[in-house]
């Protein structure tokens, strides 16, 4: 039966329902990434400096009096080879940390833009192994550390230990798991610690102070302050609760705090910096840009321009 | 050959509300302590013998009765929990605290009782299905006695209203003006729209775009009742996506909004709360069984999607090890096809919509779109307590295919003049496999969770009548 999908259609988007072999989509071998429809010219020189982790990055930036710029993109949207190139673009345009989203079928914390990106990516056949392969090739070429953004079920499916070990092996430094609240993080924290992965924890405007303190105590890499009550997605303005929330967190910890959700313009970035954040995270705006471009190459160019404009706002 | 009827006509006494169990215990942490059977019976106004039962579950069951279900962090063994974005945690904490308060609040209980009686039409009958019983009678004259617990006779036509009423009263207590819900078949959506109309609250129901097509009449009903129905086109556009979208709405509007989750799934405290609101099904059944045949049911059978009607019937009897608990899931096109919703049979443990439970997923940990002819069973997860009961061997879970369900749909219509919901038809279908092996006069109670009027336009495509 026909389904009307509201997300913008691209040539990469396929209706899962119409394909009875849907499940085979998700069993693509690791080769899938290696043979994309188009090849893109690699950007900039390969970095020979080994990447440092998230906390160290913040320490270095703080010494320089700088605020971290942290973009987010969804892996595999429009496809993994574009993602690989996008990571390089983001890196060369001055991102300090890059968040890479692992697409998931039921992303509870994401708004329509990132939801649609995940659906497109999954329909294209993106899977965990392919992402890992891609990262194995690309991370050595980057100078900024990567933090993965993944929901819990795919991690559990692999086995928490296996997951941590595999991502560590390819050079990932950090992890954000948005559907695991503090009380359920024990296993994640243990395995992350064992494997040298920094587990970033989130605090939100609804989090009571005592709970926030416990969260920041346990967080590694940085503290992710969710700027508003809601899911990911650009908003007209950044919530005016952020300054107070930032203050409260900074009273409780010296760990760096990055603000995310809803930030999409240079003006927003400036504001958040002005309020004292140590880092600024921009997600949906990046994802939207890549999706709305006429072609992946156009998308990468626009990504470069956009990234530079946001980065400029940090100066 | 008529069966000697050793049951008496049921007296239509209003049954005590679901929370009498809880009232006896004073400390919140002990509310759901299942161990002491005397607690459970003390407020029921009839004589109940609590026989020591032979352990019919496996050796792990030695600690079964002492395990809190759920424990203070919302776990049933390893299942359950609260796997939701941090933004929702305070709301869940507030909800749990409010629930504990109303459980001992006499005024709340009275109000709930009154509405269940006068508005919903409780208590629902425990009906002796004479011709179904005859159908299962063996040539030598022996066979089980089949009873139907008539949740289909409730206002709105299914068990869903029990939970909707309880939760809307709770939401009012919390001062919430806006109610959201997810729905698959539309029954929970209709129940929610119904209670919102009754209590004057804003109602938004999320429904998968695909489901909206196959249950168009329920969509109309919800709108007629004043609800806004929002189609969800993300993902597979079915129940799981509607649930995800409802959770997102709640994350965004948590201060003003109460989320009436429709089944015993989701993050703690929902599995427990929804079970408690439905527990009246089992409580009435115990009393009615005693009246009718002076004993307990021997076997309970219920269909399982998320698992709310099953938990409602089972909960009262979980510590009675001589009562066999059977859940029936949807096998769709067959367990070996990839078109079914038999989570407990073919699924693996994972995290979905806030709870750790069995679920249907692929090799990558992506949630699979299930299939069932009945939208209400078409959920790739299952309530964590069912996962627990299965793991402990306390309950058995089987399944019935679309075809078997359709046959049962027709069979029960013909034999009893009751058109069951397609969801319910799965439980009724399982009787075909179950009954031949049951000893003579075994008392079987099937949860007749809903009526099938909503399903005739689906059935019409498949059945020759």
């Amino acid at each position: 039966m026909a389904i009307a999908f509201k997300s913008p259609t691209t040539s990469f988007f396929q209706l899962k329902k119409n394909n009875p072999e849907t499940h085979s989509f998700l069993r693509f071998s690791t080769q899938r990434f290696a043979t994309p429809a188009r090849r893109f010219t690699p950007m900039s020189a390969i970095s020979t400096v080994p990447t440092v982790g998230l906390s160290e990055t913040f320490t270095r930036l703080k010494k320089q009096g700088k605020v971290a710029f942290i973009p987010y993109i969804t892996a595999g949207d429009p496809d993994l080879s574009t993602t690989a190139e996008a990571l390089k673009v983001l890196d060369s345009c001055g991102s300090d940390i890059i968040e890479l989203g692992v697409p998931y079928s039921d992303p509870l914390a994401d708004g329509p833009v990132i939801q649609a990106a995940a659906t497109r990516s999954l329909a294209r056949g993106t899977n965990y192994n392919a992402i890992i392969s891609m990262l194995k090739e690309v991370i050595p070429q980057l100078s900024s550390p990567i933090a993965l953004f993944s929901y819990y079920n795919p991690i559990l499916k692999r086995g928490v230990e296996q997951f941590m070990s595999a991502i560590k092996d390819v050079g990932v430094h950090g992890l954000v798991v948005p559907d695991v609240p503090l009380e359920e993080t024990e296993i994640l924290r243990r395995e992350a610690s064992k494997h040298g992965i920094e587990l970033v924890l989130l605090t939100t405007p609804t989090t009571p102070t005592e709970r926030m303190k416990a969260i920041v105590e346990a967080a590694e890499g940085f503290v992710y302050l969710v700027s508003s009550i809601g899911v990911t997605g650009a908003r007209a303005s950044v919530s005016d609760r952020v300054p107070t929330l930032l203050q409260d967190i900074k009273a409780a910890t010296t760990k760096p705090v990055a603000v995310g959700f809803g930030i999409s313009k240079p003006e927003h970035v400036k504001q958040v910096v002005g309020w004292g954040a140590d880092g600024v995270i921009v997600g949906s705006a990046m994802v939207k840009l890549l999706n709305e471009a006429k072609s992946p190459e156009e998308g990468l160019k626009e990504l470069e321009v956009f990234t530079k404009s946001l980065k400029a706002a940090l100066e | 050959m008529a069966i000697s009827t050793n049951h008496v006509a049921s007296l239509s006494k209003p049954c005590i509300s679901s929370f009498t169990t809880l009232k006896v215990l004073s400390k919140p942490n002990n509310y759901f302590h299942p161990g002491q059977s005397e607690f459970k019976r003390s407020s029921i106004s009839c004589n109940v013998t609590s026989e020591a039962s032979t352990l019919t579950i496996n050796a792990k069951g030695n600690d079964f009765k002492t395990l809190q279900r759920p424990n203070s962090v919302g776990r049933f063994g390893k299942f359950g929990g609260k796997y939701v974005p941090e933004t929702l945690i305070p709301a869940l904490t507030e909800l749990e605290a409010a629930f504990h308060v109303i459980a001992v609040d006499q005024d709340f209980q009275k109000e709930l009782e009154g509405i269940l009686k006068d508005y919903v039409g409780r208590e629902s009958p425990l009906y002796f299905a004479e011709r179904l019983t005859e159908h299962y009678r063996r040539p030598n004259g022996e066979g089980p006695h089949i009873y139907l617990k008539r949740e289909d006779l409730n206002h709105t036509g299914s068990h869903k209203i029990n939970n909707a009423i309880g939760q809307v009263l709770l939401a009012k207590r919390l001062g919430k003006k806006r109610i959201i819900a997810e729905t698959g078949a539309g029954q929970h959506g209709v129940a929610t729209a119904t209670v919102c109309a009754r209590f004057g609250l804003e109602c938004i129901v999320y429904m998968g775009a695909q489901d909206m097509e196959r249950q168009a009449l329920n969509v109309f009903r919800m709108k007629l009742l004043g609800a806004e129905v929002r189609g969800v086109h993300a993902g597979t556009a079915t129940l799981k996506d509607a649930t995800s979208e409802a959770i997102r709405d709640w994350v965004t509007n948590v201060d003003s909004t109460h989320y009436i989750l429709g089944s015993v799934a989701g993050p703690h405290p929902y599995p427990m709360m929804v079970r408690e609101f439905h527990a009246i099904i089992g409580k009435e059944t115990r009393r009615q069984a005693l009246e009718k045949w002076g004993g307990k049911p021997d076997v309970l059978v219920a269909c399982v999607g998320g698992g709310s009607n099953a938990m409602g019937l089972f909960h009262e009897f979980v510590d009675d090890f001589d009562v066999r608990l059977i859940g029936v899931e949807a096998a769709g096109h067959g367990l070996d096809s990839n078109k079914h919703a038999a989570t407990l049979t073919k699924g693996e443990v994972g995290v979905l919509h806030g709870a750790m439970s069995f679920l249907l997923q692929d090799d990558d940990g992506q949630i699979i779109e299930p299939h069932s002819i009945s939208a209400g069973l078409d959920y790739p997860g299952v309530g964590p307590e069912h996962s627990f009961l299965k793991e402990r061997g306390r309950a058995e879970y089987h399944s019935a295919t679309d075809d078997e369900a359709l046959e049962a749909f027709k069979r029960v219509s013909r034999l009893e003049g009751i058109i069951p919901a397609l969801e319910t038809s799965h439980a009724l279908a399982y009787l075909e496999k179950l009954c031949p092996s049951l000893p003579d006069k075994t008392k079987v109670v099937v949860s007749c969770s809903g009526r099938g009027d909503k399903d005739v336009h689906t059935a019409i495509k498949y059945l020759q009548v």
Side-chain angles (χ1 to χ4, degrees):
Chain A
M1 61 185 72
I3 303 166
F5 276 88
K6 292 225 172 103
S7 49
T9 49
T10 67
S11 54
F12 306 100
F13 183 65
Q14 295 165 52
L15 296 174
K16 256 180 155 176
K17 187 71 179 150
N18 290 346
N19 188 335
E21 296 311 314
T22 294
H23 304 315
S24 64
F25 265 144
L26 304 168
R27 294 195 182 102
F28 271 55
S29 70
T30 57
Q31 290 315 301
R32 178 141 177 94
F33 154 67
T35 53
R38 280 176 260 194
R39 279 238 164 253
F40 301 111
T41 356
M43 317 261 303
S44 73
I46 290 176
S47 164
T48 51
V49 177
T51 24
V52 295
L54 310 183
S55 347
E56 273 188 68
T57 302
F58 276 103
T59 310
R60 173 178 52 86
L61 288 168
K62 193 159 184 151
K63 285 205 188 98
Q64 301 165 355
K66 291 189 174 157
V67 172
F69 176 66
I70 308 173
Y72 162 100
I73 54 172
T74 300
D77 179 45
D79 54 56
L80 278 174
S81 55
T82 307
T83 302
E85 296 308 313
L87 290 173
K88 294 177 202 166
V89 167
L90 292 169
D91 187 50
S92 66
C93 290
S95 304
D96 299 294
I97 293 171
I98 304 172
E99 260 191 56
L100 184 65
V102 177
Y104 180 52
S105 54
D106 290 82
L108 296 183
D110 286 311
V113 170
I114 297 180
Q115 278 176 50
T119 305
R120 286 189 299 266
S121 175
L122 290 173
R124 184 126 178 115
T126 306
N127 65 28
Y128 169 81
N129 288 334
I131 296 174
I132 294 288
S133 292
M134 181 273 286
L135 287 174
K136 192 165 185 169
E137 262 198 50
V138 175
I139 288 185
Q141 301 173 51
L142 305 173
S143 58
S144 14
I146 298 274
L148 285 185
F149 187 103
S150 172
Y151 287 84
Y152 198 34
N153 198 59
I155 298 176
L156 276 181
K157 174 72 188 181
R158 301 254 107 61
V160 182
E161 192 179 350
Q162 247 105 308
F163 182 88
M164 296 293 179
S165 155
I167 64 174
K168 185 62 185 180
D169 278 347
V170 297
V172 169
H173 280 277
L175 180 64
V176 186
V177 187
D179 58 348
V180 178
L182 185 64
E183 46 273 84
E184 308 285 6
T185 53
E186 209 188 303
I187 297 175
L188 275 175
R189 277 191 277 158
R190 192 182 65 222
E191 294 302 327
S193 180
K194 253 176 34 195
H195 292 90
I197 296 286
E198 293 165 277
L199 185 69
V200 173
L201 296 182
L202 302 103
T203 180
T204 77
T206 60
T207 310
T209 312
E210 284 314 303
R211 190 180 168 86
M212 177 274 283
K213 288 184 180 157
I215 291 171
V216 304
E217 171 70 37
E220 292 163 10
F222 62 90
V223 173
Y224 193 134
L225 171 59
V226 174
S227 70
S228 50
I229 298 177
V231 296
T232 62
R235 287 144 168 99
S237 57
V238 185
S239 165
D240 55 11
R241 294 172 70 169
V242 172
T244 327
L245 292 165
L246 267 173
Q247 248 176 37
D248 293 342
I249 297 171
K250 287 195 163 287
T253 186
T254 51
K255 291 179 190 168
V257 186
V259 181
F261 282 42
I263 300 168
S264 60
K265 305 191 185 121
E267 303 87 83
H268 296 161
V269 172
K270 261 205 162 57
Q271 246 187 340
V272 173
V273 170
W275 288 331
D278 302 298
V280 182
I281 302 165
V282 180
S284 298
M286 301 270 162
V287 173
K288 193 158 191 253
L289 193 150
L290 273 176
N291 176 51
E292 288 179 352
K294 292 190 201 66
S295 70
E297 291 98 342
E298 277 296 309
L300 290 170
K301 288 205 192 87
E302 288 172 29
L303 191 70
E304 191 177 343
V305 171
F306 185 54
T307 307
K308 287 182 172 156
S309 75
L310 293 170
K311 183 80 183 171
L314 281 171
E315 302 307 330
Chain B
M1 197 63 169
I3 288 190
S4 69
T5 47
N6 54 8
H7 59 276
V8 296
S10 70
L11 309 160
S12 51
K13 283 200 286 262
C15 192
I16 306 124
S17 93
S18 342
F19 297 97
T20 47
T21 310
L22 309 175
K23 278 198 267 192
V24 181
L25 305 166
S26 51
K27 281 182 275 184
N29 283 337
N30 290 338
Y31 275 162
F32 307 105
H33 191 88
Q36 283 80 35
S37 50
E38 64 271 20
F39 281 146
K40 291 167 63 163
R41 313 268 167 67
S42 61
S43 41
I44 296 180
S45 56
C46 54
N47 262 329
V48 183
T49 50
S50 149
E51 41 258 310
S53 33
T54 31
L55 275 176
T56 53
I57 64 176
N58 62 33
K60 281 194 275 186
N62 286 334
D63 66 348
F64 191 87
K65 283 188 175 176
T66 56
L67 213 67
Q68 267 190 302
R69 300 188 308 271
N71 66 13
S72 57
V73 292
R75 302 207 92 103
F76 302 89
K78 72 175 188 228
F79 302 102
K82 299 182 195 183
Y83 294 90
V84 292
E86 184 58 40
T87 310
L88 286 180
I89 296 291
L92 292 173
T93 310
E94 181 192 44
L95 195 54
E96 189 183 350
F99 183 74
H100 287 308
V101 168
I102 54 127
V104 287
D105 183 337
Q106 297 274 17
D107 290 335
F108 187 95
Q109 295 308 310
K110 258 192 133 63
E111 192 184 359
L112 180 60
E113 218 177 289
I115 295 169
L116 288 173
K117 172 170 179 270
D118 294 334
Y119 186 70
V120 174
R122 298 211 74 94
E123 57 180 42
S124 62
L126 182 63
Y127 164 73
F128 174 61
E130 189 179 332
R131 294 192 67 206
L132 259 185
T133 299
E134 198 183 314
H135 172 77
Y136 292 115
R137 195 172 306 134
R138 302 186 275 269
N140 64 0
E142 297 188 345
H145 297 172
I146 313 294
Y147 290 80
L148 301 178
K149 179 60 173 155
R150 302 294 305 278
E151 294 299 297
D152 59 303
L153 291 176
N154 296 337
H155 178 40
T156 67
S158 81
H159 69 293
K160 294 289 182 188
I161 190 94
N162 303 327
N163 172 52
I165 289 280
Q167 285 208 44
V168 83
L169 286 179
L170 185 54
K172 278 188 64 189
R173 262 305 166 103
L174 290 167
K176 306 289 181 182
K177 298 273 189 301
R178 183 177 177 268
I179 302 291
I180 60 175
E182 85 296 341
T183 195
Q187 285 306 97
H188 172 60
V190 169
T192 306
T194 301
V195 304
C196 287
R198 168 69 185 74
F199 289 95
L201 298 173
E202 184 188 355
C203 181
I204 290 153
V205 180
Y206 287 97
M207 192 171 186
Q210 250 202 81
D211 290 337
M212 285 176 73
E213 268 195 48
R214 56 180 166 170
Q215 302 278 198
L217 287 184
N218 269 345
V219 174
F220 176 75
R221 275 187 199 104
M222 286 184 264
K223 290 179 177 170
L224 182 60
L225 291 162
E228 182 191 335
V229 182
R230 291 189 185 169
V232 178
H233 298 272
T236 59
T238 54
L239 176 56
K240 74 167 179 76
D241 309 287
T243 310
S244 298
E245 194 60 27
I247 294 175
R248 287 180 204 113
D249 182 317
W250 202 30
V251 171
T252 311
N253 298 296
V254 68
D255 290 333
S256 65
T257 302
H258 177 65
Y259 173 27
I260 299 190
L261 223 165
S263 194
V264 287
H268 179 65
Y270 282 101
M272 170 195 82
M273 259 178 23
V274 177
R275 174 193 75 193
E276 289 305 318
F277 286 126
H278 282 305
I280 192 160
I281 303 174
K283 287 180 170 63
E284 288 176 359
T285 302
R286 185 188 287 283
R287 196 178 39 73
Q288 290 162 325
L290 199 63
E291 277 169 16
K292 287 185 188 309
W293 65 80
K296 289 187 289 196
D298 297 307
V299 187
L300 301 177
V301 185
C303 64
V304 174
S308 59
N309 90 89
M311 258 349 282
L313 181 62
F314 293 177
H315 183 55
E316 176 70 16
F317 299 98
V318 168
D319 288 334
D320 295 56
F321 294 159
D322 53 346
V323 178
R324 201 171 150 196
L325 309 177
I326 299 178
V328 186
E329 295 186 296
H333 292 184
L335 292 176
D336 295 325
S337 72
N338 57 9
K339 297 211 158 286
H340 62 81
T343 313
L344 289 162
T345 307
K346 301 287 274 184
E348 300 163 20
V349 181
V351 164
L352 177 63
H353 297 144
M356 179 166 287
S357 193
F358 276 89
L359 50 93
L360 295 173
Q361 57 183 308
D362 68 15
D363 291 342
D364 232 38
Q366 307 294 343
I367 309 301
I368 289 178
E369 184 194 348
H371 164 78
S372 169
I373 192 172
S374 66
L377 299 186
D378 207 352
Y379 183 62
V382 72
E385 193 165 7
H386 284 292
S387 295
F388 173 73
L389 293 175
K390 176 191 160 84
E391 194 208 37
R392 291 306 175 108
R394 177 61 188 99
E396 319 156 35
Y397 296 91
H398 303 278
S399 58
T401 61
D402 287 351
D403 286 343
E404 288 167 342
L406 283 164
E407 274 165 33
F409 180 83
K410 192 173 170 184
R411 177 167 50 243
V412 176
S413 300
R414 289 274 161 96
L415 288 178
E416 292 291 346
I418 296 172
I419 302 175
L422 281 174
E423 291 78 10
T424 312
S425 302
H426 286 72
L428 294 164
Y430 189 68
L431 293 176
E432 294 287 291
K433 298 207 170 83
L434 174 68
C435 294
S437 62
L438 291 178
D440 191 33
K441 301 195 179 49
T442 304
K443 303 288 191 209
V444 179
V445 173
V446 183
S447 171
C448 191
S449 51
R451 62 172 187 249
D453 304 59
K454 66 179 177 71
D455 295 314
V456 291
H457 70 286
T458 300
I460 236 171
K461 296 183 205 157
Y462 299 95
L463 286 182
Q464 296 301 315
V465 289

